[in-house]
Amino acid sequence: MTLVAGVDSSTQSCKVVVREAETGALVRQGRAPHPDGTEIDPKHWWDALTEAIAQAGGLDDVSAIAVGAQQHGMVCLDEQGEVVRPALLWNDTRSAAAASELVAELGEGERGAQAWAEAVGTVPVASFTVTKLRWLAEHEPEAAKRVAAVALPHDWLTWRFLGNDPRANSADLGALVTDRGDASGTGYWSPAANDYRLDLLERGLGHQAVVPRVLRPSERAGQTPTGVVLGPGTGDNAAAGLGLQARPGDVVVSIGTSGTVFAVAERPTADPSGIVAGFADATGRYLPLVCTLNAARVLDAAGVLLGVDHAELSRLALSAPPGAGGMVVVPYLEGERTPNRPDATGALHGLRLATATPAYLARAAIEGLLCGLADGLDALVGQGVRVERVLLIGGGARSEALRKIAPAIFGCPVVAAPDGEYVADGAARQAAWVLAGGAEPPQWALGDGERYEADPTPFVRDRYGEVRELTARQPSKPSGLALEGLAADEQPAATA
């Protein structure tokens, strides 16, 4: 029996699955946590990966492995391969102003956004790597000058798997590799042209740097010092699509730390509004995607406000009528990426005496979360994406209320995919593909999932549309003062 392994190095943790290469049957798995925060020393990823592999029984009998990981994170290396500074993660919004600068530099108004969309299929927002490089160049110029290579989280982990370790004086920057899926989230690689735009990298960082070589979807990256074959790896959303065996016509709605709506497409997209990011997938196709910063954590926050667990939150929500009596939650709890409002806060509208109950608030929170994702689904359709099936995945998709309300908000049936570690599973499937070769990855048996249908409730989205822009900005504080009730790492930056 040939075994393969897949890694999901996410924002919160590292998961490793070991599966049978031909059938995909799960053999064993392991997990280890990551530290909290929006910036992190990458060594914590490697430590967690090492622990998760040990929990999964090691790699002694594994023939191939591939890494899926969070997209966009900025990993800067110096000439010796040392990490220059903690990596800025996708959900670090400090580069919002830098994103606006970069867009404006390619043209005034809509012309700048159009130029970026045509160049790389995306319009920069704070999540993208190129904006974080500009922030670094402006705010930490000495650190920026030391940057000799720029990688993403999955690139760096794959590089370490190849035996590169600056502490052992064994670090070859030329050995950095990536894939189309993850490269397409940098803001300086074009899915349509299948090549880097190094002029845009330099526009962000201020000088040229080594970038990872982009491998074909099933190309070997090399092997570990112990002889395990390495796949190219990919970003988390592309890996999830691979794990779900998504095909053209499928739209995946993932409700995790972030919320994503993405599809497998045969043609690239270039949305000048910036709503749809024109990424690549992990099979040689394309992955138009809409991402929100606030998803499952909206459920967490509602549960905390009401003092209930997720099961009770679900029961409460289902006991209230559709539309929650006109109450709307706009869930921009951590700012927002789509729409691009990094400084926004959440809001509650339409509160009346009749709706001032836990049930109405629970319903409004779930509907608000889903309305934001439904806007993303509409944006994909607007870019010509074909929708035949909507698949729900992610921790938040385990909510019974969310599953039952989603088809009413989306206006179409949804399928809740069977529980699985789809990012790690997709990475494992890629590893099996690398071993087997061929034009397409191997087909593994997947469960059918559970189908949900409901009468559409367009009035809920109409009401949400009335108030989605009515939110306050995040509070600022005078230098030296703290906002009561917030921990030190939650305090907003001081303003001049």
Side-chain angles (χ1 to χ4, degrees):
M1 183 171 63
T2 302
L3 299 182
V4 294
V7 176
D8 173 13
S9 183
S10 70
T11 313
Q12 297 176 326
S13 65
C14 181
K15 282 90 65 178
V16 173
V17 299
V18 176
R19 291 187 173 272
E20 204 279 316
E22 184 175 351
T23 66
L26 180 65
V27 177
R28 55 186 190 262
Q29 58 189 318
R31 175 191 292 259
H34 286 157
D36 292 332
T38 62
E39 63 176 306
I40 185 174
D41 189 327
K43 74 180 182 63
H44 294 299
W45 297 332
W46 184 253
D47 291 344
L49 175 56
T50 302
E51 181 181 343
I53 288 173
Q55 288 193 16
L59 301 179
D60 288 348
D61 55 350
V62 170
S63 298
I65 190 169
V67 179
Q70 56 183 299
Q71 291 185 266
H72 310 307
M74 180 190 74
V75 183
C76 294
L77 306 176
D78 66 15
E79 292 182 353
Q80 286 72 45
E82 295 280 2
V83 174
V84 171
R85 70 164 331 275
L88 295 184
L89 306 189
W90 63 274
N91 55 349
D92 192 302
T93 60
R94 73 184 72 180
S95 60
S100 298
E101 292 171 4
L102 287 167
V103 174
E105 287 171 10
L106 293 195
E108 294 183 5
E110 296 180 356
R111 287 187 299 154
Q114 182 71 47
W116 277 97
E118 291 174 355
V120 291
T122 56
V123 180
V125 293
S127 299
F128 293 176
T129 319
V130 68
T131 72
K132 300 177 189 306
L133 292 173
R134 169 59 69 87
W135 180 90
L136 183 69
E138 291 182 342
H139 293 269
E140 299 178 3
E142 293 305 313
K145 290 176 183 177
R146 293 175 51 212
V147 176
V150 183
L152 301 173
H154 120 257
D155 309 339
W156 185 82
L157 289 169
T158 302
W159 184 71
R160 289 298 310 275
F161 260 135
L162 288 167
N164 293 281
D165 185 355
R167 294 171 298 179
N169 296 317
S170 175
D172 178 8
L173 297 181
L176 285 164
V177 293
T178 191
D179 88 305
R180 297 171 66 255
D182 221 4
S184 64
T186 60
Y188 47 83
W189 188 86
S190 167
N194 208 42
D195 202 0
Y196 281 107
R197 284 291 303 265
L198 295 179
D199 58 317
L200 299 180
L201 168 68
E202 184 171 358
R203 184 175 288 277
L205 181 60
H207 62 84
Q208 288 295 335
V210 173
V211 289
R213 181 168 60 93
V214 181
L215 302 178
R216 296 185 303 277
S218 61
E219 184 177 354
R220 294 189 179 201
Q223 62 183 34
T224 70
T226 59
V228 180
V229 172
L230 277 168
T234 192
D236 52 3
N237 292 299
L242 199 58
L244 285 163
Q245 300 182 161
R247 58 186 184 270
D250 285 342
V251 174
V252 179
V253 177
S254 176
I255 304 173
T257 303
S258 64
T260 55
V261 184
F262 61 87
V264 175
E266 298 287 3
R267 294 183 299 276
T269 59
D271 180 8
S273 75
I275 295 174
V276 177
F279 295 152
D281 83 338
T283 70
R285 298 178 178 87
Y286 302 92
L287 199 83
L289 178 146
V290 178
C291 179
T292 67
L293 289 183
N294 302 278
R297 291 182 296 181
V298 177
L299 305 179
D300 296 339
V304 170
L305 282 173
L306 296 174
V308 299
D309 61 15
H310 282 210
E312 179 63 9
L313 181 73
S314 186
R315 189 197 67 78
L316 286 168
L318 291 173
S319 72
M327 187 191 298
V328 179
V329 169
V330 182
Y332 303 160
L333 308 185
E334 294 292 329
E336 191 45 82
R337 167 171 165 175
T338 306
N340 184 25
R341 300 189 60 193
D343 295 327
T345 58
L348 174 64
H349 297 284
L351 179 64
R352 298 178 294 122
L353 288 175
T355 59
T357 71
Y360 279 89
L361 178 58
R363 181 91 188 197
I366 292 175
E367 289 181 339
L369 186 165
L370 288 168
C371 281
L373 295 171
D375 287 348
L377 182 60
D378 286 350
L380 289 184
V381 172
Q383 287 294 305
V385 171
R386 176 164 49 96
V387 181
E388 296 178 354
R389 185 173 63 152
V390 175
L391 298 169
L392 288 180
I393 64 171
R398 295 189 180 101
S399 163
E400 187 69 14
L402 188 142
R403 293 181 179 197
K404 290 182 174 179
I405 296 171
I409 301 297
F410 294 159
C412 63
V414 302
V415 175
D419 284 345
E421 297 291 351
Y422 287 107
V423 175
D425 292 345
R429 187 169 175 237
Q430 184 192 72
W433 188 12
V434 169
L435 290 180
E440 295 289 336
Q443 292 297 304
W444 287 353
L446 293 177
D448 293 332
E450 190 169 357
R451 182 181 174 91
Y452 291 82
E453 299 184 29
D455 292 334
T457 54
F459 62 90
V460 177
R461 292 193 60 199
D462 290 343
R463 177 71 166 168
Y464 182 81
E466 292 175 8
V467 299
R468 72 160 69 87
E469 299 298 323
L470 303 178
T471 65
R473 293 172 59 87
Q474 294 179 14
S476 59
K477 62 178 173 61
S479 179
L481 297 181
L483 294 177
E484 185 178 355
L486 294 185
D489 61 354
E490 295 177 312
Q491 294 292 333
T495 56

